[in-house]
Amino acid sequence: MIKNIKHLLSFIIFIKLSSGILFAQIQNEATPVENISVADGFDVELLFTVPKDKLGSWVNLCLDDKNRIIASDQFGGLYRFEVPPKGKTLKENAIEKVPANIRAANGLLWAFDSLYVAVNDYEKKMDSGVYRLTDSNGDDQLDKVEKLRGMQARGDHGVHALILSPDKKSIYLITGNNTTPVEANRSRVPMDWGEDHLLPRMPDGRGHNRDRLAPAGIIYKMSPDGKDWEIVSSGYRNIFDGGFNADGELFTYDADMEYDFNTPWYRPTRICHVTSGSMYGWRNGTGKRPEFYPDTLPPVVNIGPGSPTGVTFGYGAKFPPKYQKAMFILDWSWGKIYAIHMKPDGGTYFGKKETFITGSPLPVTDAIIHPGDGAMYFAIGGRKVQSGLYRVSYTGKGNTDPISMKPQVNELASLRHKLEDLHIGEHPKALELAWPHTAHPDRFVRWAALMAVQRLPVDKWASKALQEKDPSKRVHLLLTLAKAGGIDPFHRIPNDPPVDQKMGKEIISSLTKIKWDKLTVNEKLALVRAFQVSLVRFGKPGLELEQKIIDQLEPHFPSQKFELNWLLCETLSFLEAQSTAQKAITLLLKAPTQEEQMEYARSLRTLKHGWNKKLRTDYFNWFHKAANYRGGASFSKFIEFIKNDALASLDEQDKKDLAPILNKKTVVQSPAEMMAKAMSGRTFVKQWKLEELSKAASKGLSQRNFQSGRKMFAAGGCFACHRFGNEGGMTGPDLTGSGGRYSPHDLLEQIMYPSKEINEQFVPTFIEMNNGDFHTGVVVNLNQNKVVINTDLYNPNQRTNVDRTEIKNMGPSTVSPMPPGLLNMMKEGEVMDLLAYILSGGDPEHKFF
């Protein structure tokens, strides 16, 4: 629970002169604590406002061997200082500049009697890469600079954090997807990289990272002398920092492309468990792998929209036990510090987020726990915005005794570790040890086993995989074999050997013999994905085998699961299965969310067979409807790309027959009109009271109608703002786990009285300008004196730029952007269906149904 503090921020000091005229003088100060909310029992102090013209804007903090803080200016050098006593502020004359000729540090680590620095220089005044700073003459000044490894990086997502390994023998380096991979001595991730797009690639609509291919976003392990490098994990986008928990497990905080909001391929910012050989599926444009893909790994917890910066665990803090164990993650653009509370969950962990600190604006960059006073120190800054240093202390009455740091490893985690030992070096029994676990129900254990197999020479296990009798193992092994034995066309180089089409045909032939009904849903996903990767890596196998794939998959399309429909529709479209157009258009027209509709439209864009005039008309009519959908900055461009590909698939006669619909003028509607359309045909039922609906729900949410609940979720506009499963908007709280947070009564109260208690992550900000203008929205970005706010919760791309120097008042709004009265056009039974749908997490097998 966030405690209520005075919510008023003023950047203006009014000075009354003798003439009675008022002048405005801008305060060059960091965000005052009056505009910061913190968890109950904690206190925040503003210790220092960083003078931009002298000390820059701070983005990294670390402790040296004497527990002094070292801070880095994003576009300048390093500074060192002692922390001030409780209740005291930091004075500028107590800060000394580190004399070493170093700049643009995005990562700092004191280890092995040295300061390791990861340089990511936007201005190209110094080579990016990893450096080591030492004291050359014993005068307690870091003056010697040694470049351990130069690296190429551009802009954001470059060379980032440095983290000491749990055994204190090596260093982990985090790099974003704008860092060119460097040669490593070895890799735990199999190096048969691939984009693996079955349908034509669709890069970002605005050109961002169009040419950046896998591998990207790599985490390395390096020796202290910088000579030995190992690839540990890859597939990230914007990872800036990470941390090890007491069990010795590494976690990082990654962000996907905000331009992709409200598309099916958007993935929220998330906490990823960095296991040996893990790959988290980043690809540019539409190609990123959703978490249900079997050839990627799922997050520990989805966070929501954000811009990841610093990460630290609470170990050593004089905080209550749950906060000592917590992973603290910093969100720069939304001004949040979250506490992530994790528990072991099989071979990985399950996490829940808590907003620990929030402010507006509060561009948090890094945080550390100081062993001396047990307080957290965090900085705001970056991109030349006003920087500051803060201290967070626990002042409550709870127990703050140090927690045990003894590792707690369960049976499945122990099994995963044994399999991960097979990822390095030569192990004569690797195949024997890994094979039994290649269909393990735990995804992280299964991944460890499959990676142990994939790194072995293909000729040692291909035949065994093709003849595997257990269908559960065979689908996963043949997906792995397709990657190990084939070459993605995007990654071919001149000296590559020709593709072994015989192996591709053997893989597909083996897959077609698997009985669909013998597989679980996840194994069906692996089966279809194995077909896809085989077709990408080896090419089409010939008409006979292609027809066998169609015969196997077509009867099961459509499925009850959107995830299966996603893969089935893509695959059958690629193979030009005759019934695909009719089935997919039916799904598209019935789909309640724009994400589902967009995915079917994307899969159909190159399909040439199985159409008739009505199906084509329905398809191109959808583009008029989609013109009114809202999403991130690239959203409309992606719709345009899909339509252009669809038009290119038409012959001249098709274009002539469809001329009326192709030439029809698109009518763009306002969000209010779209909401009204979603509720069209519905009439006012009654002004519902909380008590009567709560009483109805208390009788038991049983025998409810799942499809009706989903329809009401869409009709109420919920998908426009709220994430639910793999779908929905990002401007409201994620509702997927509502069943674990709310009773039916509490959920009804949230819906009916949205301003009573606004989720702290999504509290809008009010801004009053000097000229009398008012703005209300969510702060989503900052750059020097520019504040960017999202002013329309139905349209994440609707943004307004505000000049901070012209702001009179700014603070959290007490009015929720969510409108009241959403239930007044629903009958009682429909409201109950809606509650059941939300509280079940969208599970049609839940007892409510």
Side-chain angles (χ1 to χ4, degrees), residues 499-520:
V499 175
D500 182 1
Q501 292 187 325
K502 181 176 180 292
M503 177 177 285
K505 292 178 180 180
E506 289 176 338
I507 292 172
I508 289 174
S509 178
S510 182
L511 289 169
T512 59
K513 295 172 184 176
I514 295 174
K515 301 295 183 183
W516 181 268
D517 293 338
K518 298 292 185 181
L519 303 175
T520 65

mmCIF file of all heavy atoms in Angstrom, residues 499-520:
data_model
loop_
_atom_site.group_PDB
_atom_site.id
_atom_site.type_symbol
_atom_site.label_atom_id
_atom_site.label_comp_id
_atom_site.label_asym_id
_atom_site.label_seq_id
_atom_site.Cartn_x
_atom_site.Cartn_y
_atom_site.Cartn_z
ATOM 1 N N VAL A 499 22.007 -26.560 -47.985
ATOM 2 C CA VAL A 499 21.050 -27.090 -47.028
ATOM 3 C C VAL A 499 20.770 -28.562 -47.337
ATOM 4 O O VAL A 499 20.565 -28.944 -48.496
ATOM 5 C CB VAL A 499 19.733 -26.278 -47.076
ATOM 6 C CG1 VAL A 499 18.688 -26.906 -46.176
ATOM 7 C CG2 VAL A 499 19.996 -24.839 -46.669
ATOM 8 N N ASP A 500 20.766 -29.379 -46.306
ATOM 9 C CA ASP A 500 20.481 -30.810 -46.454
ATOM 10 C C ASP A 500 18.972 -31.005 -46.533
ATOM 11 O O ASP A 500 18.302 -31.232 -45.522
ATOM 12 C CB ASP A 500 21.069 -31.568 -45.264
ATOM 13 C CG ASP A 500 20.864 -33.081 -45.378
ATOM 14 O OD1 ASP A 500 20.289 -33.530 -46.396
ATOM 15 O OD2 ASP A 500 21.266 -33.798 -44.450
ATOM 16 N N GLN A 501 18.417 -30.901 -47.744
ATOM 17 C CA GLN A 501 16.970 -31.016 -47.910
ATOM 18 C C GLN A 501 16.461 -32.398 -47.534
ATOM 19 O O GLN A 501 15.306 -32.562 -47.137
ATOM 20 C CB GLN A 501 16.575 -30.661 -49.332
ATOM 21 C CG GLN A 501 16.789 -29.183 -49.641
ATOM 22 C CD GLN A 501 16.248 -28.786 -51.001
ATOM 23 O OE1 GLN A 501 16.300 -29.553 -51.944
ATOM 24 N NE2 GLN A 501 15.717 -27.575 -51.084
ATOM 25 N N LYS A 502 17.331 -33.396 -47.635
ATOM 26 C CA LYS A 502 16.931 -34.753 -47.235
ATOM 27 C C LYS A 502 16.569 -34.787 -45.760
ATOM 28 O O LYS A 502 15.553 -35.381 -45.370
ATOM 29 C CB LYS A 502 18.068 -35.733 -47.535
ATOM 30 C CG LYS A 502 17.758 -37.189 -47.169
ATOM 31 C CD LYS A 502 18.906 -38.100 -47.601
ATOM 32 C CE LYS A 502 18.618 -39.561 -47.244
ATOM 33 N NZ LYS A 502 18.620 -39.797 -45.799
ATOM 34 N N MET A 503 17.371 -34.120 -44.917
ATOM 35 C CA MET A 503 17.064 -34.089 -43.488
ATOM 36 C C MET A 503 15.748 -33.355 -43.235
ATOM 37 O O MET A 503 14.937 -33.788 -42.414
ATOM 38 C CB MET A 503 18.183 -33.424 -42.688
ATOM 39 C CG MET A 503 17.870 -33.314 -41.197
ATOM 40 S SD MET A 503 19.207 -32.606 -40.216
ATOM 41 C CE MET A 503 20.332 -34.015 -40.182
ATOM 42 N N GLY A 504 15.528 -32.263 -43.972
ATOM 43 C CA GLY A 504 14.275 -31.536 -43.811
ATOM 44 C C GLY A 504 13.074 -32.406 -44.112
ATOM 45 O O GLY A 504 12.063 -32.388 -43.385
ATOM 46 N N LYS A 505 13.157 -33.183 -45.167
ATOM 47 C CA LYS A 505 12.056 -34.084 -45.528
ATOM 48 C C LYS A 505 11.873 -35.175 -44.481
ATOM 49 O O LYS A 505 10.742 -35.559 -44.161
ATOM 50 C CB LYS A 505 12.314 -34.703 -46.901
ATOM 51 C CG LYS A 505 12.237 -33.699 -48.046
ATOM 52 C CD LYS A 505 12.539 -34.353 -49.377
ATOM 53 C CE LYS A 505 12.461 -33.326 -50.515
ATOM 54 N NZ LYS A 505 12.762 -33.940 -51.833
ATOM 55 N N GLU A 506 12.981 -35.655 -43.920
ATOM 56 C CA GLU A 506 12.885 -36.688 -42.879
ATOM 57 C C GLU A 506 12.218 -36.129 -41.625
ATOM 58 O O GLU A 506 11.414 -36.810 -40.973
ATOM 59 C CB GLU A 506 14.281 -37.215 -42.551
ATOM 60 C CG GLU A 506 14.888 -38.073 -43.656
ATOM 61 C CD GLU A 506 16.309 -38.495 -43.333
ATOM 62 O OE1 GLU A 506 16.964 -37.808 -42.508
ATOM 63 O OE2 GLU A 506 16.770 -39.508 -43.889
ATOM 64 N N ILE A 507 12.552 -34.891 -41.269
ATOM 65 C CA ILE A 507 11.933 -34.271 -40.097
ATOM 66 C C ILE A 507 10.430 -34.130 -40.306
ATOM 67 O O ILE A 507 9.623 -34.506 -39.443
ATOM 68 C CB ILE A 507 12.574 -32.893 -39.810
ATOM 69 C CG1 ILE A 507 14.023 -33.062 -39.343
ATOM 70 C CG2 ILE A 507 11.766 -32.129 -38.757
ATOM 71 C CD1 ILE A 507 14.793 -31.759 -39.212
ATOM 72 N N ILE A 508 10.045 -33.596 -41.454
ATOM 73 C CA ILE A 508 8.623 -33.377 -41.729
ATOM 74 C C ILE A 508 7.879 -34.705 -41.815
ATOM 75 O O ILE A 508 6.764 -34.849 -41.290
ATOM 76 C CB ILE A 508 8.458 -32.544 -43.015
ATOM 77 C CG1 ILE A 508 8.898 -31.104 -42.741
ATOM 78 C CG2 ILE A 508 7.007 -32.586 -43.513
ATOM 79 C CD1 ILE A 508 8.912 -30.211 -43.952
ATOM 80 N N SER A 509 8.483 -35.690 -42.451
ATOM 81 C CA SER A 509 7.835 -36.998 -42.543
ATOM 82 C C SER A 509 7.608 -37.594 -41.159
ATOM 83 O O SER A 509 6.534 -38.148 -40.869
ATOM 84 C CB SER A 509 8.712 -37.938 -43.375
ATOM 85 O OG SER A 509 8.131 -39.228 -43.450
ATOM 86 N N SER A 510 8.602 -37.447 -40.281
ATOM 87 C CA SER A 510 8.467 -37.974 -38.918
ATOM 88 C C SER A 510 7.381 -37.222 -38.146
ATOM 89 O O SER A 510 6.592 -37.821 -37.403
ATOM 90 C CB SER A 510 9.802 -37.870 -38.191
ATOM 91 O OG SER A 510 9.730 -38.401 -36.894
ATOM 92 N N LEU A 511 7.303 -35.922 -38.347
ATOM 93 C CA LEU A 511 6.286 -35.118 -37.657
ATOM 94 C C LEU A 511 4.875 -35.482 -38.106
ATOM 95 O O LEU A 511 3.933 -35.498 -37.309
ATOM 96 C CB LEU A 511 6.538 -33.632 -37.908
ATOM 97 C CG LEU A 511 7.758 -32.993 -37.228
ATOM 98 C CD1 LEU A 511 8.011 -31.603 -37.792
ATOM 99 C CD2 LEU A 511 7.561 -32.925 -35.712
ATOM 100 N N THR A 512 4.708 -35.787 -39.400
ATOM 101 C CA THR A 512 3.359 -36.086 -39.920
ATOM 102 C C THR A 512 2.813 -37.408 -39.385
ATOM 103 O O THR A 512 1.609 -37.670 -39.506
ATOM 104 C CB THR A 512 3.363 -36.130 -41.461
ATOM 105 O OG1 THR A 512 4.269 -37.137 -41.917
ATOM 106 C CG2 THR A 512 3.736 -34.778 -42.044
ATOM 107 N N LYS A 513 3.670 -38.216 -38.807
ATOM 108 C CA LYS A 513 3.229 -39.514 -38.278
ATOM 109 C C LYS A 513 2.769 -39.421 -36.826
ATOM 110 O O LYS A 513 2.308 -40.415 -36.250
ATOM 111 C CB LYS A 513 4.366 -40.536 -38.406
ATOM 112 C CG LYS A 513 4.732 -40.836 -39.866
ATOM 113 C CD LYS A 513 5.979 -41.701 -39.965
ATOM 114 C CE LYS A 513 6.378 -41.906 -41.430
ATOM 115 N NZ LYS A 513 7.647 -42.664 -41.553
ATOM 116 N N ILE A 514 2.889 -38.247 -36.242
ATOM 117 C CA ILE A 514 2.485 -38.067 -34.841
ATOM 118 C C ILE A 514 0.978 -37.844 -34.773
ATOM 119 O O ILE A 514 0.423 -37.036 -35.520
ATOM 120 C CB ILE A 514 3.235 -36.879 -34.216
ATOM 121 C CG1 ILE A 514 4.739 -37.183 -34.161
ATOM 122 C CG2 ILE A 514 2.708 -36.574 -32.814
ATOM 123 C CD1 ILE A 514 5.584 -36.011 -33.698
ATOM 124 N N LYS A 515 0.323 -38.529 -33.879
ATOM 125 C CA LYS A 515 -1.127 -38.402 -33.700
ATOM 126 C C LYS A 515 -1.442 -37.142 -32.896
ATOM 127 O O LYS A 515 -0.985 -36.995 -31.764
ATOM 128 C CB LYS A 515 -1.692 -39.635 -32.982
ATOM 129 C CG LYS A 515 -1.432 -40.956 -33.706
ATOM 130 C CD LYS A 515 -2.161 -41.008 -35.038
ATOM 131 C CE LYS A 515 -1.952 -42.372 -35.713
ATOM 132 N NZ LYS A 515 -2.593 -42.429 -37.049
ATOM 133 N N TRP A 516 -2.221 -36.268 -33.481
ATOM 134 C CA TRP A 516 -2.587 -34.997 -32.856
ATOM 135 C C TRP A 516 -3.190 -35.205 -31.479
ATOM 136 O O TRP A 516 -2.856 -34.498 -30.519
ATOM 137 C CB TRP A 516 -3.556 -34.253 -33.774
ATOM 138 C CG TRP A 516 -4.021 -32.915 -33.295
ATOM 139 C CD1 TRP A 516 -5.141 -32.649 -32.556
ATOM 140 C CD2 TRP A 516 -3.385 -31.648 -33.521
ATOM 141 N NE1 TRP A 516 -5.251 -31.300 -32.313
ATOM 142 C CE2 TRP A 516 -4.193 -30.664 -32.895
ATOM 143 C CE3 TRP A 516 -2.239 -31.246 -34.197
ATOM 144 C CZ2 TRP A 516 -3.873 -29.305 -32.934
ATOM 145 C CZ3 TRP A 516 -1.923 -29.897 -34.231
ATOM 146 C CH2 TRP A 516 -2.734 -28.940 -33.604
ATOM 147 N N ASP A 517 -4.085 -36.164 -31.357
ATOM 148 C CA ASP A 517 -4.816 -36.366 -30.102
ATOM 149 C C ASP A 517 -3.950 -36.943 -28.992
ATOM 150 O O ASP A 517 -4.392 -37.022 -27.835
ATOM 151 C CB ASP A 517 -6.021 -37.282 -30.341
ATOM 152 C CG ASP A 517 -7.071 -36.630 -31.235
ATOM 153 O OD1 ASP A 517 -7.083 -35.385 -31.308
ATOM 154 O OD2 ASP A 517 -7.858 -37.370 -31.861
ATOM 155 N N LYS A 518 -2.745 -37.358 -29.323
ATOM 156 C CA LYS A 518 -1.844 -37.889 -28.302
ATOM 157 C C LYS A 518 -1.032 -36.790 -27.618
ATOM 158 O O LYS A 518 -0.270 -37.060 -26.690
ATOM 159 C CB LYS A 518 -0.873 -38.900 -28.934
ATOM 160 C CG LYS A 518 -1.531 -40.132 -29.548
ATOM 161 C CD LYS A 518 -2.143 -41.028 -28.480
ATOM 162 C CE LYS A 518 -2.692 -42.299 -29.098
ATOM 163 N NZ LYS A 518 -3.322 -43.182 -28.066
ATOM 164 N N LEU A 519 -1.208 -35.558 -28.077
ATOM 165 C CA LEU A 519 -0.396 -34.451 -27.577
ATOM 166 C C LEU A 519 -1.191 -33.530 -26.666
ATOM 167 O O LEU A 519 -2.398 -33.344 -26.858
ATOM 168 C CB LEU A 519 0.147 -33.631 -28.751
ATOM 169 C CG LEU A 519 0.984 -34.364 -29.808
ATOM 170 C CD1 LEU A 519 1.336 -33.425 -30.950
ATOM 171 C CD2 LEU A 519 2.247 -34.958 -29.189
ATOM 172 N N THR A 520 -0.493 -32.913 -25.709
ATOM 173 C CA THR A 520 -1.085 -31.846 -24.907
ATOM 174 C C THR A 520 -1.121 -30.567 -25.745
ATOM 175 O O THR A 520 -0.544 -30.507 -26.839
ATOM 176 C CB THR A 520 -0.259 -31.587 -23.640
ATOM 177 O OG1 THR A 520 1.026 -31.088 -24.031
ATOM 178 C CG2 THR A 520 -0.081 -32.873 -22.816
#
